[in-house]
Amino acid sequence: MNFKVVRVFNRSVTIELESDSIFKQDQTFEVYIDGARKLESERNVVTVSGLLPDTEYEIKVVMAGEESSQKFTTKHESVLLDVTKFGAKGDGETSDTAAIQAAICACPKEGTVYLPAGTYYSTALFLKSDMTLWIDEGATLLGDTDRNHYPLLPGMTLSTDEKSEYNLSSWEGNPLTSYASLITAIDAENLDIIGPGTIDGNAGNSDWWVNAKVKRGAWRPNTIYLCRCKNVNVQNLIVQNSPCWTVHPYYSDDLSFLNLLIYNPSDSPNTDGLDPESCSNVLVLGTVISVGDDCMAIKSGKYYMSLMHHKETDGIFIRNCKFERGHGSVTVGSEAAGGVRNVRVSQCIFDGTDRGLRIKTRRGRGERSVLDDILFENIDMSGVHMPFTVNMFYFCDPDGHSDYVQNQAPAPVDEMTPSIGSITGRNMNCKGVSACVLCAVGLPEMPIGKLTFENVDVSFLPESERIPERPVMMDNFDEMSGRSIYAQNVKNLVLKNMTIAGAADKEPELKNVENTSFTEVNYK
């Protein structure tokens, strides 16, 4: 069984099996370090912790009598700073913010700030470059429940020469003042945040989820917020109970999120799991997400940020992950005015989410809002109500129900018109579908470029178990139940080797679809 070493840290390593299996193997395997058995797992991505810095190790994987090994050397560590030596109590009641922040500020280059077992009650912490934050097994960083204890991050500040702007915070795609997040990093590079402990936003015991869409003091924070960071790795942590979007990389590059468990209650508002916004080269590997909104939402801001601080999201790689519960498994948009390209989602399980692949935009996002080159492949979906939805009439924002956004007559194509290019889904198994297989609605003035679905096997729930739902959030659009393919305002629709079992209809419904290519599309 071959594997690759994905990332090496100062005290841990993450590996990925080189296998076509989805998320996990059909049998267990063992992992050894220098001949000592460290763990047994079925999952394709595993992390071994408990290592020492500056040390060469041999890691070996054994499965069904086959074995493979590699050598690696852990990263250098200059010093280990235990936060309890700085006065942190870890009793879950005393505020440990100052003690932990003191350790962070005192940490030299390539040093580690260490949280041993305990519960560290804290407000926002600010990390810096060239350090590791290590939250050990049995350690929990627990968010302070009083919003007045959190500093504010101004959304936008005019520079002294009045020629540029300094952006520190964001709320749903606009540069608006927000509370600082429990873990905040601004302009940091070469930063590692590692477990296997827990980061708990503690939002359920606060008032973050009460009147969630009302600004009180400032907008709600994330749990982990990375602003203009580079080369950041987050590994082997539980991140839960977030006030808002849980992990939010913003205008950041070269990031990895490995073996995370991101969990928020199903009724928690706007608690997306992982939302890279205006980021490039982001790897999400071996991560399990179960939340109250989209599991992942790939974004690039609203129109002002695209116009004045344009940064396209480019290169999002999601592999061997499991997305449970939530409105969408992997979403692109709707705040994507800067554009999103080169998204690759593979070898993932989508289990019980409302939608699988979810693309959403609207008039007003602008001509730079090009959503293109998006590929989903080798995906198993179970109990996903609507596997594929594409919506260019998404009714978000204060003007979302306006005639400008929702009018289905052609509008002039101008600098405010978004576009969708190529979206491909292949090698997928979708069981327990309820509302529809594919619902795609483009703009009449800017049809969706190309939708391709091949090697897709679909089976619907029995009619008695289906609940009618509206697959796309737009005005004047009916609920669906048991529908197969609905496409409106699409330039090219390609369906190849699709089997659809148990649908209420027996052929696709098409409106203003310019070109079609249907090969071996079978209804049962």
Side-chain angles (χ1 to χ4, degrees), residues 83 86 88 96-107 113 122-128 131 182 184:
V83 297
F86 288 75
D96 286 328
T97 309
I100 300 173
Q101 191 65 58
I104 293 168
C105 291
C107 188
V113 173
S122 180
T123 180
L125 299 170
F126 289 78
L127 306 184
K128 62 182 184 179
M131 66 165 285
L182 187 55
T184 299

Side-chain angles (χ1 to χ4, degrees), residues 124-235:
L125 299 170
F126 289 78
L127 306 184
K128 62 182 184 179
S129 296
D130 301 304
M131 66 165 285
T132 295
L133 177 67
W134 176 20
I135 303 173
D136 202 358
E137 186 173 3
T140 297
L141 182 65
L142 184 66
D144 191 319
T145 57
D146 189 340
R147 68 175 60 211
N148 296 308
H149 294 168
Y150 289 75
L152 306 184
L153 290 179
M156 195 69 80
T157 302
L158 188 65
S159 63
T160 303
D161 62 10
E162 299 185 354
K163 294 181 179 179
S164 60
E165 296 176 316
Y166 182 54
N167 177 214
L168 281 175
S169 186
S170 173
W171 168 259
E172 295 189 344
N174 281 323
L176 302 176
T177 298
S178 302
Y179 288 101
S181 300
L182 187 55
I183 295 292
T184 299
I186 299 170
D187 294 309
E189 297 185 9
N190 308 319
L191 170 64
D192 292 340
I193 307 170
I194 64 173
T198 299
I199 302 175
D200 190 330
N202 206 15
N205 293 315
S206 181
D207 63 352
W208 295 118
W209 296 338
V210 179
N211 296 323
K213 288 292 189 178
V214 176
K215 180 181 178 182
R216 287 181 287 162
W219 292 109
R220 287 178 289 149
N222 313 123
T223 296
I224 298 176
Y225 175 61
L226 308 173
C227 178
R228 290 189 304 276
C229 293
K230 187 172 183 178
N231 190 26
V232 179
N233 305 290
V234 186
Q235 179 218 40

